[in-house]
Amino acid sequence: MINYYGLYYKKNDTDELLQMQKADLYFNEALIKQDHDDYSWNTTLAKVVKLPSAFWIVVSSIKHIRFDFLPNYTGYVVSKSFFDLCLKYTPNIQYIPVYIVEKKTQKRTLKEYFFIRFTAIYDYVDLEQSIYKTKFDRITKREEIISYSKLVLKEVPSKNHIFKIQEKFSNWVEPVFVSEMFKHALDTLDLKTVDIVPIENIALFHTQYYN
């Protein structure tokens, strides 16, 4: 039996996530404000979209920027180490370079970063074995999952070592699911800001994480 794990952003003392939320976003190296023609690349799930060539994140200080895995709307900003691992284990991602720049000095982080998004979402949840609560949604006119206390996956094809499941179980971008093989490869890299949660603990962890 193959074990699976969920990856979450690991909160820390400096909390890059809060700094990134306050950051300015640019789509040109000159760091001139401009509108991007189409933001659907960052609001659309599970399909190939047109991405900008790159983007620049301008923060107040790069001194404590050292994350490897950070959720960003429908994708993730990740370090090159994490990015290289993803390329090795899945073809189902799109990506562009990300440059993190200090506002006053315009210095960039030495560490390389990429924005990645998954182009496929899989129906791998075993609805009969999982335990969850639903509520009728008057907008969608159907029962929607509002919480779950047990998450069980169906048999996942052996080639899928990193994947996303349907949105109603994953709260948009988190977690990403990985196989035992991917986890072992991840462990050798000693990456920062990555919480690796066994599948049997995900329901509890997920609930506590967002409360």
Side-chain angles (χ1 to χ4, degrees):
M1 180 180 176
I2 300 176
N3 293 322
Y4 289 93
Y5 303 82
L7 303 185
Y8 287 82
Y9 167 69
K10 186 175 185 177
K11 299 171 184 178
N12 59 83
D13 292 338
T14 58
D15 209 338
E16 293 94 344
L17 180 58
L18 293 178
Q19 188 170 344
M20 292 300 181
Q21 287 171 341
K22 299 174 183 177
D24 292 323
L25 185 64
Y26 298 86
F27 297 99
N28 57 84
E29 193 168 9
L31 304 185
I32 298 170
K33 279 287 186 185
Q34 63 180 31
D35 292 329
H36 191 262
D37 292 338
D38 183 6
Y39 276 96
S40 64
W41 59 273
N42 219 4
T43 58
T44 305
L45 291 166
K47 67 178 184 180
V48 175
V49 296
K50 182 181 178 182
L51 294 173
S53 59
F55 66 79
W56 285 258
I57 298 173
V58 180
V59 297
S60 59
S61 172
I62 61 172
K63 184 177 180 181
H64 297 295
I65 298 291
R66 54 177 180 267
F67 67 89
D68 289 285
F69 177 82
L70 190 67
N72 179 271
Y73 295 99
T74 59
Y76 306 84
V77 178
V78 300
S79 65
K80 188 175 187 303
S81 298
F82 191 96
F83 169 72
D84 288 343
L85 202 56
C86 288
L87 285 186
K88 180 179 178 181
Y89 282 99
T90 181
N92 297 320
I93 59 169
Q94 282 185 281
Y95 55 89
I96 53 175
V98 172
Y99 305 103
I100 302 176
V101 184
E102 190 169 81
K103 190 170 188 176
K104 196 175 231 183
T105 65
Q106 294 201 358
K107 289 181 181 177
R108 295 182 185 178
T109 55
L110 294 177
K111 203 169 187 176
E112 291 183 69
Y113 288 98
F114 293 84
F115 173 77
I116 65 171
R117 61 184 306 280
F118 290 84
T119 56
I121 290 180
Y122 296 97
D123 184 17
Y124 286 162
V125 176
D126 188 328
L127 295 177
E128 292 184 3
Q129 298 295 320
S130 299
I131 301 173
Y132 52 90
K133 292 181 180 179
T134 63
K135 182 179 180 180
F136 184 77
D137 190 304
R138 286 181 294 180
I139 297 175
T140 63
K141 307 292 185 187
R142 65 188 181 196
E143 291 288 323
E144 299 286 356
I145 293 167
I146 57 173
S147 65
Y148 57 92
S149 56
K150 183 181 180 181
L151 183 64
V152 178
L153 298 184
K154 302 173 187 175
E155 186 173 345
V156 176
S158 58
K159 65 180 181 179
N160 280 14
H161 293 288
I162 178 168
F163 56 87
K164 294 286 298 170
I165 60 172
Q166 54 265 56
E167 179 188 333
K168 57 190 174 185
F169 279 100
S170 61
N171 202 48
W172 267 52
V173 293
E174 293 186 292
V176 177
F177 286 85
V178 300
S179 68
E180 187 88 49
M181 185 182 293
F182 190 98
K183 177 191 176 293
H184 285 323
L186 203 59
D187 287 341
T188 64
L189 298 177
D190 188 31
L191 301 184
K192 310 297 182 188
T193 68
V194 184
D195 252 332
I196 305 174
V197 184
I199 186 79
E200 61 270 19
N201 298 337
I202 279 198
L204 178 60
F205 184 91
H206 194 85
T207 302
Q208 293 175 339
Y209 190 88
Y210 286 103
N211 288 337

